[in-house]
Amino acid sequence: MSNDMMTTETDKTIFTRRESEARSYCRGIPNVFTSASGSIMRAEDGTEYIDFLAGCSSLNYGHNDPDMKTALVDHITNDGIAHGLDLHTTTKADFLGAFEKHILKPRGMDHRVMFMGPTGANAVEAAMKIARKSTGRTNIIAFTNGFHGVTMGALAATGNGYHRGGAGMDATGVTRMPYDDYADGVDSAALLDQMLSDASGGIDAPAAIMLETIQGEGGLNAASTEFVQKLADIAKRHGALLILDDIQAGCGRSGKFFSFEDMGVVPDLVPMAKSISGFGLPLAMVLVRPEHDVFGPAEHNGTFRGNTHAFVTARVAIEKFWSDKAFEAELAEKAALIEKRLTELADLVPGAYLKGRGLMRGVDVGTGELAAAICARAFENGLIIETSGNEDQVVKVLAALTTPTEVFNKGFDILLDAARDVLSTTKIAAE
């Protein structure tokens, strides 16, 4: 090969020399990646990795879905609108039409769709502001181990002390209560109801009760249907709105499009982001019931509210995967496979147990040290997987929902081999 045809490997010192110390995932996954398709990522040295992280659930339909890619390339090459503030565009109309037809109407939801800056935290900020303006109250009920973002309003509702410490000042306006099964023998919903019903209970009348039905970064804690139904009832009786944060658990991750679909509740506000674009493009929105659509024009705004390119791919994602029940049926089969293979992992580690629901699953292996060692060994052998939890003790699977069965099994084989190797060569588990 001539020198002209040879490629030069990236000098990784550029990252340590110029990128902020805030960088995170690349510390445990240090390779330089060049391309990806489906559930496979390719590094600069040609090594292929099975991706069980999927952009932290931003790539529920895998990398570079061919139909979304074709639609996006066609849009760009035909000089389609690239940036439109919140002007009317054909791409926005097409997305809203598909979302109304295939998502909202079949589920009996009358919600309007509000676009804001393209991050999940911004969607949470908007939802909290809507609740406060709609009710005239300021307090938000949030829950232990909840993670809603790291901007100041969302951060107040986030339980993680490390992230809250990054604010450099107090994050206020939230009362934190125990999540479902957080405290042994405590009915968390009943406790909240009792405290709100008592004039001396010490909790200001809330504007909203906000939670994730499956806590992603908090360790895959999954709320029971009974708990969510109780909270919906409490919110209604005490004049608060119900905010169900579906940023990570939505877009099929739970096995349904919304994580609350089978729970018999209709939330007032639903923040969404991550996989709503379908392609990994930034897009965030809040579903808001019409009676609470209280913002005036541009009262909550942003230069990039409504990513036009993301509208293109989001429409394709909805029409391709959610226009009938076929994809949902596939998800049920894959959820069963994930549970089976993760049970094998849990059986290897004394005291380990499964967490989560649907295709948002993991295994609590007891310590963050052990979880990190398993994930690191798996990466050495070709699997990208991460941890979560209050002590990073949960080995967390967020594979693309479109991952073929054979790729799923290959990935789990790598994970199980990694666990066996770590357990046989270290004293982490025993300690």
XYZ file of all heavy atoms in Angstrom, residues 67-101:
266
model
N -33.574 3.196 6.308
C -34.726 3.984 5.840
C -34.672 5.416 6.361
O -34.985 6.364 5.631
C -36.025 3.304 6.268
C -36.191 1.937 5.624
O -36.099 1.849 4.393
O -36.392 0.946 6.358
N -34.279 5.579 7.614
C -34.140 6.930 8.162
C -33.012 7.673 7.463
O -33.121 8.862 7.144
C -33.880 6.864 9.668
C -35.006 6.258 10.475
S -34.619 6.272 12.237
C -35.533 4.824 12.782
N -31.920 6.953 7.217
C -30.769 7.576 6.554
C -31.135 8.046 5.150
O -30.786 9.175 4.754
C -29.609 6.582 6.514
C -28.351 7.121 5.858
C -27.145 6.222 6.124
C -27.351 4.824 5.575
N -26.136 3.985 5.772
N -31.830 7.212 4.404
C -32.228 7.593 3.043
C -33.123 8.827 3.061
O -32.937 9.759 2.263
C -32.961 6.420 2.362
O -32.062 5.324 2.222
C -33.476 6.826 0.986
N -34.094 8.838 3.986
C -35.001 9.989 4.068
C -34.251 11.263 4.429
O -34.519 12.343 3.879
C -36.086 9.704 5.101
N -33.286 11.147 5.334
C -32.524 12.322 5.755
C -31.618 12.818 4.627
O -31.550 14.025 4.359
C -31.694 11.983 6.994
C -30.836 13.115 7.571
C -31.696 14.305 7.953
C -30.045 12.608 8.778
N -30.942 11.903 3.954
C -30.069 12.298 2.839
C -30.890 12.954 1.736
O -30.489 13.991 1.170
C -29.304 11.070 2.309
C -28.598 11.416 0.994
C -28.284 10.594 3.335
N -32.051 12.382 1.429
C -32.918 12.978 0.407
C -33.347 14.388 0.813
O -33.373 15.317 -0.021
C -34.153 12.104 0.177
C -33.834 10.820 -0.569
O -32.725 10.713 -1.126
O -34.697 9.915 -0.588
N -33.692 14.551 2.068
C -34.118 15.864 2.568
C -32.992 16.882 2.402
O -33.223 18.007 1.923
C -34.515 15.752 4.041
C -34.886 17.061 4.672
N -36.135 17.625 4.536
C -34.168 17.911 5.457
C -36.174 18.764 5.205
N -34.997 18.962 5.770
N -31.785 16.495 2.766
C -30.650 17.419 2.694
C -30.284 17.726 1.243
O -30.078 18.893 0.869
C -29.443 16.831 3.453
C -29.752 16.770 4.955
C -28.180 17.661 3.205
C -28.709 16.024 5.769
N -30.218 16.694 0.401
C -29.806 16.922 -0.990
C -30.846 17.709 -1.782
O -30.515 18.330 -2.796
C -29.521 15.588 -1.706
O -30.660 14.740 -1.614
C -28.312 14.893 -1.077
N -32.085 17.699 -1.311
C -33.133 18.475 -1.982
C -33.327 19.853 -1.351
O -34.347 20.512 -1.564
C -34.460 17.712 -1.944
C -34.459 16.519 -2.866
O -33.940 16.584 -3.985
N -35.020 15.401 -2.418
N -32.324 20.280 -0.589
C -32.346 21.600 0.057
C -33.527 21.768 1.000
O -34.123 22.851 1.110
C -32.355 22.730 -0.985
C -31.021 22.902 -1.675
O -29.998 22.478 -1.087
O -30.990 23.440 -2.792
N -33.893 20.688 1.692
C -34.931 20.798 2.708
C -34.503 21.726 3.827
O -33.306 21.972 4.043
N -35.467 22.260 4.530
C -35.167 23.187 5.625
C -34.228 22.501 6.626
O -34.480 21.382 7.074
C -36.461 23.617 6.337
C -37.395 24.359 5.366
C -36.148 24.496 7.552
C -36.853 25.659 4.854
N -33.142 23.187 6.962
C -32.200 22.641 7.941
C -32.473 23.198 9.334
O -32.266 22.505 10.335
C -30.765 22.948 7.534
N -32.906 24.447 9.384
C -33.203 25.074 10.668
C -34.384 26.006 10.481
O -34.377 26.853 9.589
C -31.992 25.860 11.178
C -32.252 26.589 12.467
N -32.761 27.865 12.511
C -32.086 26.196 13.747
C -32.897 28.238 13.777
N -32.489 27.241 14.540
N -35.410 25.815 11.307
C -36.610 26.602 11.070
C -37.215 27.240 12.302
O -38.399 27.592 12.280
N -36.412 27.411 13.385
C -36.989 27.912 14.640
C -38.246 27.088 14.935
O -38.187 25.870 14.943
C -37.271 29.411 14.541
C -36.033 30.306 14.409
C -36.429 31.740 14.049
C -35.229 30.294 15.703
N -39.389 27.762 15.161
C -40.625 26.987 15.283
C -41.617 27.360 14.179
O -42.833 27.287 14.342
C -41.251 27.138 16.676
C -41.742 28.552 16.976
O -41.539 29.450 16.131
O -42.323 28.759 18.052
N -41.058 27.721 13.020
C -41.902 28.007 11.862
C -42.606 26.741 11.388
O -42.160 25.620 11.652
C -41.051 28.569 10.717
C -40.384 29.930 10.963
C -39.412 30.246 9.827
C -41.438 31.027 11.090
N -43.708 26.917 10.669
C -44.372 25.777 10.050
C -43.481 25.226 8.933
O -42.988 25.981 8.085
C -45.714 26.203 9.424
C -46.718 26.692 10.415
N -46.894 26.141 11.656
C -47.636 27.701 10.329
C -47.863 26.763 12.296
N -48.328 27.723 11.514
N -43.278 23.930 8.924
C -42.545 23.281 7.838
C -43.266 21.994 7.469
O -44.016 21.431 8.278
C -41.094 22.937 8.242
O -41.117 21.987 9.323
C -40.318 24.178 8.672
N -43.029 21.521 6.283
C -43.638 20.258 5.872
C -43.121 19.104 6.723
O -43.868 18.167 7.026
C -43.326 19.977 4.387
O -41.911 20.051 4.185
C -44.013 20.992 3.489
N -41.858 19.176 7.108
C -41.291 18.084 7.911
C -41.940 18.019 9.291
O -42.190 16.929 9.811
C -39.766 18.255 8.058
O -39.477 19.585 8.503
C -39.071 17.992 6.737
N -42.198 19.179 9.890
C -42.861 19.181 11.196
C -44.289 18.667 11.068
O -44.765 17.879 11.902
C -42.863 20.573 11.818
C -43.446 20.593 13.238
C -43.811 21.996 13.723
C -42.596 22.837 13.954
N -42.942 24.149 14.584
N -44.976 19.105 10.022
C -46.351 18.644 9.807
C -46.393 17.132 9.620
O -47.273 16.448 10.172
C -46.951 19.350 8.592
N -45.453 16.595 8.867
C -45.427 15.151 8.620
C -45.146 14.378 9.913
O -45.748 13.326 10.161
C -44.369 14.812 7.571
C -44.748 15.308 6.181
O -45.939 15.617 5.965
O -43.849 15.383 5.311
N -44.213 14.896 10.717
C -43.933 14.225 11.983
C -45.143 14.263 12.913
O -45.547 13.240 13.476
C -42.729 14.857 12.692
C -42.635 14.441 14.128
C -42.261 13.141 14.474
C -42.959 15.324 15.159
C -42.204 12.740 15.806
C -42.909 14.934 16.485
C -42.528 13.636 16.806
N -45.734 15.457 13.077
C -46.879 15.574 13.976
C -48.039 14.703 13.498
O -48.749 14.098 14.307
C -47.312 17.032 14.083
C -46.393 17.944 14.905
C -46.831 19.401 14.775
C -46.375 17.538 16.366
N -48.239 14.638 12.197
C -49.302 13.798 11.661
C -49.081 12.328 11.971
O -49.999 11.609 12.370
N -47.844 11.860 11.800
C -47.530 10.466 12.088
C -47.640 10.177 13.575
O -48.153 9.124 13.992
C -46.121 10.139 11.591
N -47.187 11.111 14.395
C -47.246 10.925 15.844
C -48.691 10.887 16.331
O -49.052 10.072 17.182
C -46.471 12.052 16.540
C -46.175 11.786 17.981
C -45.196 10.869 18.352
C -46.852 12.458 18.988
C -44.912 10.621 19.693
C -46.580 12.230 20.322
C -45.600 11.301 20.677
N -49.505 11.764 15.783
C -50.927 11.779 16.134
C -51.603 10.482 15.702
O -52.337 9.854 16.484
C -51.608 12.972 15.461
C -53.115 13.067 15.712
C -53.723 14.238 14.962
O -53.727 14.210 13.703
O -54.176 15.184 15.631
N -51.352 10.057 14.469
C -52.041 8.884 13.906
C -51.618 7.575 14.564
O -52.473 6.737 14.894
C -51.774 8.822 12.402
C -52.398 7.610 11.709
C -52.088 7.611 10.214
C -52.683 6.385 9.524
N -52.373 6.378 8.060
